[in-house]
Amino acid sequence: MKKITIIGAGSTMFTRQLLSALFAYKDLPPTEVVLEDINEQVLERSFRLVGLMIEQASVPVTLSMTVNQKDALRNADFVINAIQVGGLEPWKLDMEIPKRYGISQEVGDTLGAGGIFRGLRQIPPLLSILQDMEEVCPQALFINYSNPLAPLTWAASQASSIRSIGLCYGVRYTASQLAGYLGVGPWVDHPHTPELWQALMYQDVPEAIEYRFGGINHMTWMLEFRHKGEDLYPLIHQLPDNPAVYKNDAPRCEILKHFGYWSTENHWHMTDYVPYFRKNEAMINQFLPRRWNLLALEQEVHTLANEEINRQLAGEQPFRIEENMLNGAKLIHAMLTDTPTRINGNVANQQSNGLLIDNLPANCVVEVPIHVDSKGLHPETIGTLPTQCAALNKTNINVQELIVEAALKGDKQAAKHALALDPLTAALCTLEQIDSLFEELFEAQKPWLPQF
């Protein structure tokens, strides 16, 4: 019997979303699922919920829970990382302190001040997981879902011998949305409400769509996009002239116009990663007429989801047991049943047979198509990205590398350099202001930065 361990399983919404997709497979073999979290109260809630899901889905799953990380990991085959150090409290600091320096972040979980400090918080406990894995389940696959995804997956691949992959649904989201923009699939709204976010999770890419992509997490380039064999890129280049598409996705339309390719992540995320769209409030509102504020939306989503979970725990509402946007279930099912599948995943650029993307650094983490079967993960070699696309990726990779260096070595200066090289921060602040911002963030977040 194969064993799946979820670290941070007290994240009840994520645990429910992932396992509901896995339990949808009717040929799921007998499997052990272990839930772990440092917060026993939220862990107990997730345990009760998953137990009811197993009962409804009638799957051959044995369930247990523990607050002991090493016990949870012992003899595991798949380890899923879903931690969020400090919860929402440090995220609020990530957003509020930079605002005093004129830096408005739309999301703040991948790059910028928010992404940098989230990475510094998340990497030490990630290393603890990997160290325990090396001792009690060295053969397991480490699946990272926590943001900032690229630096965390980079730290895992650099600091540990454990096989690792980072998973994100941004590529599937982008492909399904592009199909809608082009009229070969349903229109997919950006998730600006809890209801739209939930709908997005079940909006897959139309079967007739074929696409090839490569880049880095949250800035991956759609290199080819076809419908029933027809190349749709000539139509993609016309999207900025479509008023409905431009209104819905102005930043990515501008990136397409000036750099030639469509990119992940959504338009809100994109404005955090480049220096072009957030120079002042008027400019932000021009390119983002509907703002996101993911932190506030996340709080709203949590409130409504908790109400739904309470009804499910009370037996008043059934679970939605079906496949969704999360690739983790597809990956695990493919490896357990030898049912080949293709996902988007984030792995080290340097593989045993060479680089996956020739013009990105060998030591970085890239997002590419990955074929999965019972033998494991088989990343697809992309070759050379368009030079301008690789150049934009490198502006983010520079920051990611310094986050990893700072976290692994406890090097405060490297963390400061990461902030100074961040594209959005550098577009808005002088070096003296950046130094002051860094020190203020660092002092406010000391409780979650034990490595310094």
Side-chain angles (χ1 to χ4, degrees):
M1 184 185 296
K2 298 296 185 181
K3 177 178 176 179
I4 302 167
T5 296
I6 303 178
I7 303 295
S11 300
T12 307
M13 288 191 304
F14 170 81
T15 300
R16 179 181 63 164
Q17 197 87 58
L18 178 71
L19 292 179
S20 64
L22 182 64
F23 296 166
Y25 291 106
K26 299 303 181 185
D27 59 346
L28 184 70
T31 305
E32 179 183 1
V33 172
V34 179
L35 309 180
E36 186 275 350
D37 202 281
I38 59 174
N39 184 327
E40 192 165 7
Q41 184 176 356
V42 296
L43 179 62
E44 166 67 27
R45 181 176 169 84
S46 289
F47 178 77
R48 289 171 51 215
L49 194 76
V50 175
L52 292 172
M53 290 168 59
I54 292 170
E55 184 178 332
Q56 179 182 316
S58 298
V59 287
V61 172
T62 302
L63 181 67
S64 63
M65 71 173 195
T66 179
V67 294
N68 186 299
Q69 179 173 287
K70 191 173 287 188
D71 286 349
L73 294 170
R74 197 174 309 280
N75 299 320
D77 297 285
F78 304 95
V79 175
I80 298 165
N81 178 42
I83 63 171
Q84 184 171 331
V85 175
L88 298 182
E89 185 179 351
W91 191 2
K92 292 177 183 176
L93 297 173
D94 290 340
M95 302 297 282
E96 292 170 0
I97 293 174
K99 277 185 179 178
R100 298 203 282 268
Y101 292 80
I103 303 170
S104 169
Q105 301 165 99
E106 200 72 19
V107 184
D109 70 353
T110 299
L111 215 67
I116 291 166
F117 274 85
R118 184 182 289 229
L120 298 177
R121 296 193 300 268
Q122 302 271 60
I123 289 175
L126 175 141
L127 296 178
S128 167
I129 297 167
L130 293 164
Q131 288 163 2
D132 282 348
M133 288 180 67
E134 289 172 359
E135 181 180 341
V136 301
C137 59
Q139 80 295 338
L141 176 65
F142 179 72
I143 303 171
N144 177 53
Y145 264 104
S146 294
N147 280 323
L149 191 129
L152 266 63
T153 308
W154 186 335
S157 65
Q158 181 171 315
S160 176
S161 60
I162 296 293
R163 293 179 302 151
S164 59
I165 183 172
L167 295 183
C168 170
Y169 59 84
V171 172
R172 290 174 74 183
Y173 166 17
T174 297
S176 62
Q177 196 164 50
L178 258 183
Y181 288 167
L182 295 165
V184 292
W187 182 276
V188 179
D189 277 314
H190 288 302
H192 58 87
T193 67
E195 293 77 17
L196 287 174
W197 201 330
Q198 182 70 0
L200 172 66
M201 295 308 298
Y202 297 93
Q203 183 64 62
D204 207 351
V205 184
E207 287 187 11
I209 295 293
E210 297 176 350
Y211 57 101
R212 191 165 182 264
F213 55 90
I216 60 172
N217 183 242
H218 286 193
M219 196 189 283
T220 295
W221 304 98
M222 283 293 174
L223 302 173
E224 298 176 9
F225 202 80
R226 299 177 183 277
H227 178 252
K228 297 181 179 180
E230 179 189 355
D231 180 11
L232 295 187
Y233 239 104
L235 297 178
I236 291 175
H237 282 294
Q238 297 174 24
L239 289 178
D241 299 324
N242 181 320
V245 173
Y246 192 88
K247 180 180 179 181
N248 205 49
D249 232 319
R252 288 197 292 183
C253 283
E254 291 295 325
I255 293 293
L256 172 72
K257 282 164 59 177
H258 295 280
F259 291 90
Y261 289 85
W262 195 265
S263 173
T264 65
E265 180 73 12
N266 69 39
H267 63 321
W268 293 304
H269 274 282
M270 173 58 76
T271 64
D272 277 355
Y273 312 148
V274 293
Y276 310 121
F277 305 112
R278 307 188 69 86
K279 295 182 185 296
N280 53 60
E281 197 67 19
M283 179 183 286
I284 296 171
N285 290 329
Q286 173 191 343
F287 288 110
L288 299 174
R290 176 186 284 127
R291 303 293 294 276
W292 204 18
N293 190 344
L294 182 57
L295 175 58
L297 179 59
E298 187 102 350
Q299 292 170 314
E300 187 179 352
V301 167
H302 273 266
T303 299
L304 293 176
N306 279 328
E307 293 172 358
E308 181 179 67
I309 288 167
N310 285 337
R311 293 193 296 272
Q312 290 172 332
L313 287 170
E316 298 169 358
Q317 180 175 331
F319 297 96
R320 187 171 183 175
I321 308 292
E322 61 182 272
E323 293 183 56
N324 57 49
M325 277 277 187
L326 297 183
N327 280 325
K330 289 182 70 175
L331 182 156
I332 292 170
H333 175 258
M335 291 184 68
L336 290 181
T337 64
D338 197 24
T339 306
T341 193
R342 176 180 180 262
I343 64 171
N344 60 288
N346 295 263
V347 294
N349 192 22
Q350 180 68 64
Q351 298 286 309
S352 59
N353 59 343
L355 296 179
L356 297 174
I357 299 179
D358 294 333
N359 52 343
L360 292 183
N363 61 334
C364 79
V365 164
V366 295
E367 187 161 51
V368 297
I370 297 182
H371 301 269
V372 188
D373 56 27
S374 62
K375 295 182 178 64
L377 311 178
H378 314 285
E380 191 175 308
T381 299
I382 296 301
T384 302
L385 290 179
T387 304
Q388 71 279 16
C389 296
L392 268 183
N393 284 161
K394 289 172 188 174
T395 66
N396 284 217
I397 291 169
N398 292 336
V399 179
Q400 295 169 3
E401 182 172 23
L402 284 161
I403 294 171
V404 173
E405 181 178 324
L408 294 184
K409 296 180 179 179
D411 186 341
K412 182 179 174 182
Q413 200 64 26
K416 189 176 291 187
H417 291 155
L419 188 59
L421 287 168
D422 173 67
L424 179 59
T425 305
L428 297 171
C429 293
T430 66
L431 287 170
E432 285 190 1
Q433 291 170 330
I434 292 170
D435 189 81
S436 177
L437 167 61
F438 178 88
E439 292 297 340
E440 189 171 346
L441 278 164
F442 187 84
E443 286 300 314
Q445 303 210 21
K446 268 188 174 178
W448 302 287
L449 302 173
Q451 72 273 42
F452 295 102

